[in-house]
Amino acid sequence: MQVRRDYYEVLGVVHDASDEEIRKAFRRLAFQYHPDRNHEADAEDRFKEVNEAYQCLCDPSKRRTYDMYGQQGTEGTSFGDFGFGGLGEIFETFFGGAFGESRTNAPAQGESFRLRATLTLEEAASGCIREFTIKRNEACADCRGTGCAAGTSPLRCPECRGSGQVRRTEQSIFGRFSHVVRCPRCGGAGTTIPTPCGTCKGKSTVVMARTLRVDIPAGIDTGGSIPLRGQGSVGSRGGRTGDVQVVVEVLPHELFTRDGLDIHCELPVNFSQAALGADIEVPVLGGTAHVHVPANTQTGEVVRLKGKGIQEQGGRRRGDQLLHVKVTTPKKLTREQRLLFEELAKTLPAD
């Protein structure tokens, strides 16, 4: 069983500390360890420990019991009885939304989009063009992003006087506290729109369908991406425009397997071609090529075609095509072929 630290030690106060000293210590430590502000690994545990100590010592009856009997006398009155969610609400009131609401007034980046391009191996090797249609938020052309009807302009909010924030005084378990919150009238913008634009209804943005033409470079592979900076939705409150990212997926090929810049495929040859050698026409990306199979070639040997692989994306290197030889056995022989093989068999060694 884990032993809890002394509550006075947790808050950093002496045993005869006044209620005000305990309150101040809690305020300081709760602010220091609140998980929305402190991202250290033990911050949440410390925050809970501070709250548990305060919940005991701020109550005169619980504090007397604790001073007489220690933590055994306060079982059932720890942090768990209060709940992290409840504390969050009080902390929000206590500190005036310092870790939540005020952030929403900052410039916000517009929505970004992640698109998928499915390519054949040939398209990935040579590069291609793809078009995508997205629906994004754009600044309203009629009001030029102001949200106001023609001939009008935003007015300074009379409630917050343009600051976007107002001060509120509220009663909490800690007493009366004054804190700053987002202005409820203007939503933190600092301005109001007396006559909204008829097109965007005062929102300053409209949804538009746009077709993006994407140049996919030669040599790209599955997992590769093409970033399109600033092609997403417009930001709010002066935030930057979002981006578009096109992620590539290359489909499996019927004949070829890609390995980096190299291409692998099977090269079936018959018995006579493998034994005597032969010049064979083979498929390569974008066409065909001639390859020489040396005499006495065995199944599993590899014939390399230099420079017939994938062009390096953005570079000069080019991979090879590797042909994996597979000596095939005829599934059906004519009578003449069978006689010839029988004669040949008599001349071959047993092993």
Side-chain angles (χ1 to χ4, degrees):
M1 180 178 179
Q2 185 178 6
V3 179
R4 300 190 190 119
R5 288 198 298 157
D6 177 79
Y7 287 154
Y8 292 99
E9 178 186 348
V10 170
L11 295 179
V13 296
V14 296
H15 278 252
D16 60 351
S18 66
D19 292 344
E20 182 61 24
E21 289 172 327
I22 291 174
R23 233 184 332 263
K24 288 182 178 179
F26 171 69
R27 289 184 62 182
R28 176 176 57 81
L29 293 171
F31 188 87
Q32 178 181 349
Y33 292 115
H34 193 280
D36 281 348
R37 183 175 186 271
N38 190 325
H39 299 292
E40 295 180 3
D42 63 342
E44 183 172 332
D45 291 337
R46 294 293 300 274
F47 184 69
K48 292 178 180 179
E49 185 182 43
V50 167
N51 175 63
E52 180 178 320
Y54 179 73
Q55 292 303 311
C56 175
L57 300 184
C58 73
D59 185 296
S61 176
K62 292 179 183 178
R63 183 176 180 181
R64 283 194 300 270
T65 303
Y66 179 78
D67 289 341
M68 293 176 62
Y69 303 107
Q71 289 170 345
Q72 291 182 345
T74 62
E75 290 297 330
T77 62
S78 65
F79 175 84
D81 296 325
F82 191 81
F84 190 80
L87 180 61
E89 294 175 5
I90 292 177
F91 195 87
E92 182 74 12
T93 300
F94 187 72
F95 289 108
F99 302 117
E101 187 173 285
S102 60
R103 292 177 181 169
T104 63
N105 299 329
Q109 179 178 324
E111 179 186 7
S112 293
F113 297 84
R114 183 182 176 91
L115 309 175
R116 181 174 298 277
T118 302
L119 310 179
T120 64
L121 182 59
E122 288 85 356
E123 289 173 327
S126 60
C128 60
I129 301 293
R130 279 287 191 275
E131 290 187 348
F132 300 90
T133 299
I134 63 172
K135 292 183 178 181
R136 66 188 183 189
N137 286 328
E138 299 182 4
C140 177
D142 289 347
C143 66
R144 298 184 179 180
T146 66
C148 300
T152 68
S153 59
L155 299 178
R156 187 174 72 164
C157 176
E159 186 162 346
C160 66
R161 297 184 179 180
S163 69
Q165 297 176 325
V166 292
R167 184 171 294 277
R168 293 282 186 264
T169 300
E170 299 183 17
Q171 184 72 31
S172 75
I173 62 172
F174 310 114
R176 291 177 64 82
F177 295 98
S178 180
H179 56 96
V180 175
V181 298
R182 183 172 55 187
C183 177
R185 182 163 183 174
C186 67
T191 58
T192 60
I193 299 176
T195 309
C197 168
T199 302
C200 66
K201 311 303 181 185
K203 295 180 179 180
S204 77
T205 61
V206 290
V207 177
M208 299 292 291
R210 297 295 184 189
T211 298
L212 305 179
R213 184 178 173 88
V214 182
D215 186 359
I216 298 178
I220 199 166
D221 200 358
T222 293
S225 63
I226 302 97
L228 304 176
R229 306 294 184 193
Q231 293 296 317
S233 291
V234 67
S236 59
R237 297 180 295 277
R240 66 180 294 268
T241 302
D243 304 320
V244 172
Q245 184 181 37
V246 179
V247 181
V248 167
E249 179 183 1
V250 181
L251 297 172
H253 196 277
E254 181 181 5
L255 299 176
F256 304 125
T257 301
R258 179 174 178 173
D259 180 17
L261 298 181
D262 293 332
I263 293 294
H264 296 258
C265 72
E266 191 175 86
L267 175 59
V269 298
N270 62 40
F271 177 78
S272 64
Q273 290 172 323
L276 302 176
D279 291 319
I280 302 175
E281 186 178 57
V282 296
V284 296
L285 283 175
T288 60
H290 285 86
V291 61
H292 177 70
V293 178
N296 304 317
T297 295
Q298 305 295 311
T299 290
E301 292 187 16
V302 176
V303 179
R304 183 182 295 267
L305 290 176
K306 298 289 291 184
K308 293 298 184 180
I310 303 292
Q311 178 74 40
E312 180 182 23
Q313 184 179 339
R316 296 182 177 181
R317 290 196 305 121
R318 192 179 188 92
D320 303 328
Q321 179 164 322
L322 285 76
L323 305 167
H324 299 262
V325 175
K326 179 181 178 181
V327 180
T328 61
T329 302
K331 294 182 179 180
K332 187 176 181 180
L333 296 174
T334 66
R335 184 173 180 275
E336 182 181 2
Q337 289 171 336
R338 184 175 183 85
L339 291 173
L340 290 173
F341 270 109
E342 287 175 350
E343 291 298 320
L344 178 62
K346 295 175 182 179
T347 66
L348 295 175
D351 57 354

